[in-house]
Amino acid sequence: MITFQHIDSPVGQLLLASADDGLRVIEFEAPWHPVKRGADWHEGDNGVLLETRKQLGEYFAGTRQQFDLPLAPHGTPFQLQVWRTLMQIGWGETWSYAQMARHIGQPTATRAVGAANGRNPLPIVLPCHRVIGSDGSLTGFGGGLPTKEFLLTLEGVLPRRVPIDDLFAPA
């Protein structure tokens, strides 16, 4: 059985889902690859979802840099290898898709690494937002490029942009 719930976050509403083996899904409002929900899905709460909400709140507040959750993503052996590698990219760091491919010992698999990142069922926790183009560009992200930019700004990778109105606001 899979328990799910929707939560609000600074990047919009997120769908969280877990099963007995751990957290299965974090999904953005308009996902590229929506998760298929079956008859075994029911809305509710459990300890994994409670802890996920807590840790995501700490992350968005800037007080948590690593997650400590039971994870249970489902994918192919290659996808699982790529997703495990994502956990090695630290807060405030970025890797290119080519770096990831070299790291897993498959230097010609850059596109396959990109495809696996695109299917990451646990974005933010498995930080695929930290993977960028070889030229430093922000490339595809299931939550949209504005969300990727927000997350990288939160982590200090990108400079904060101050709206011009804020510069002239009374103190």
Side-chain angles (χ1 to χ4, degrees):
M1 180 165 42
I2 296 177
T3 304
F4 75 93
Q5 61 185 226
H6 292 90
I7 65 166
D8 291 324
S9 81
V11 294
Q13 193 171 75
L14 300 173
L15 167 73
L16 308 179
S18 71
D20 290 340
D21 55 352
L23 187 64
R24 294 263 185 104
V25 173
I26 297 174
E27 186 175 83
F28 296 104
E29 284 182 76
W32 286 359
H33 304 287
V35 173
K36 293 179 182 153
R37 299 178 207 172
D40 60 339
W41 281 59
H42 79 275
E43 193 162 5
D45 203 1
N46 61 34
V48 171
L49 296 179
L50 176 68
E51 187 61 24
T52 301
R53 285 193 317 271
K54 175 182 173 275
Q55 290 189 29
L56 283 171
E58 293 166 351
Y59 170 81
F60 286 121
T63 60
R64 175 173 289 277
Q65 296 183 358
Q66 292 182 317
F67 292 92
D68 183 21
L69 296 165
L71 305 180
H74 286 224
T76 68
F78 180 79
Q79 288 171 329
L80 292 169
Q81 180 184 26
V82 170
W83 300 338
R84 277 190 301 275
T85 302
L86 289 170
M87 291 189 288
Q88 297 176 35
I89 307 171
W91 169 280
E93 295 179 37
T94 57
W95 287 12
S96 70
Y97 295 97
Q99 281 176 285
M100 283 195 73
R102 284 191 305 273
H103 187 82
I104 64 171
Q106 298 191 36
T108 61
T110 301
R111 287 187 180 175
V113 165
N117 275 318
R119 294 280 184 173
N120 177 8
L122 295 170
I124 304 171
V125 172
L126 296 179
C128 55
H129 62 277
R130 296 177 185 156
V131 183
I132 60 174
S134 293
D135 63 357
S137 63
L138 301 187
T139 57
F141 181 64
L145 291 182
T147 298
K148 185 171 191 162
E149 181 178 8
F150 175 88
L151 297 173
L152 291 174
T153 300
L154 174 72
E155 295 183 11
V157 173
L158 299 175
R160 276 192 204 280
R161 290 193 242 168
V162 179
I164 191 77
D165 293 336
D166 290 352
L167 294 174
F168 299 102

